[in-house]
Amino acid sequence: MEITLPADDQILITREFDAPKHLVYRVWTTPELVRRWWSGQRGTTAEVELDLRPGGRWRYVLKTDEGTEVGFHGEYREIVPDERLVYTEVFEQPGVPLDAVDGPLNTVTFTALEGDRTLLSLLTVTGSKELRDLIHQSGMEVGVREQFVLIQELADSLR
């Protein structure tokens, strides 16, 4: 996995998976599978709501081993099955209504590689350098690495 900062308001995460792209896409977009990878090793995924259509909403809630709940939600803007997803991602904060904040825009691209492998690219456009740096320095890299290991394992189990 590689994380780069291609612009002042962008974070790009890439990783190759040893699985065909339709399986990686399936793991990324199927609620019962999302429930198994999204929390990584940080606890359990307590809620998964996923309305996979343009204008559809999603919401995931992580319950940490210490009992803290951390929620994210957003709206799908573009969906090209097995190819690309574009959606907003908002970190939920106590006391802030869910629709009060417009979050960063994520574009996930699933590219087929030789040998039934997939290159997943996750580009996050934050809208500011400050938010990009806050996200980048939050320790998110450890969590994403855990998630991607689980995505590989789940894709393997679907073969």
Side-chain angles (χ1 to χ4, degrees):
M1 184 181 92
E2 182 177 19
I3 297 178
T4 58
L5 306 174
D8 281 351
D9 67 343
Q10 296 180 357
I11 301 170
L12 177 62
I13 302 171
T14 57
R15 184 188 193 271
E16 287 187 27
F17 289 90
D18 186 18
K21 67 179 185 175
H22 75 277
L23 291 182
V24 179
Y25 180 86
R26 183 172 162 196
V27 172
W28 195 274
T29 59
T30 304
E32 56 268 23
L33 297 173
V34 171
R35 189 176 295 278
R36 294 169 59 188
W37 66 263
W38 191 74
S39 60
Q41 303 298 325
R42 309 292 167 146
T44 59
T45 305
E47 293 182 36
V48 173
E49 299 171 15
L50 198 157
D51 182 9
L52 194 62
R53 61 182 176 85
R57 312 274 302 168
W58 66 273
R59 182 170 189 258
Y60 304 157
V61 176
L62 161 68
K63 186 169 185 177
T64 68
D65 294 334
E66 295 77 32
T68 302
E69 290 192 353
V70 180
F72 287 84
H73 71 275
E75 178 182 298
Y76 292 103
R77 301 282 171 86
E78 181 181 346
I79 297 167
V80 181
D82 297 337
E83 299 287 335
R84 185 170 54 174
L85 300 167
V86 180
Y87 57 92
T88 59
E89 181 173 353
V90 178
F91 172 65
E92 298 176 4
Q93 300 178 43
V96 177
L98 292 182
D99 292 328
V101 179
D102 196 22
L105 189 65
N106 290 340
T107 300
V108 184
T109 306
F110 305 84
T111 303
L113 302 175
E114 286 186 34
D116 255 353
R117 297 181 57 82
T118 300
L119 174 65
L120 183 143
S121 300
L122 169 58
L123 176 66
T124 300
V125 179
T126 62
S128 73
K129 183 179 185 312
E130 292 76 21
L131 182 56
R132 179 202 71 178
D133 292 346
L134 180 68
I135 294 169
H136 184 246
Q137 296 165 6
S138 69
M140 56 76 113
E141 182 175 350
V142 174
V144 173
R145 285 188 188 281
E146 293 172 357
Q147 291 175 326
F148 283 4
V149 168
L150 293 170
I151 289 170
Q152 179 67 64
E153 291 175 7
L154 288 165
D156 289 345
S157 74
L158 297 173
R159 289 180 185 230

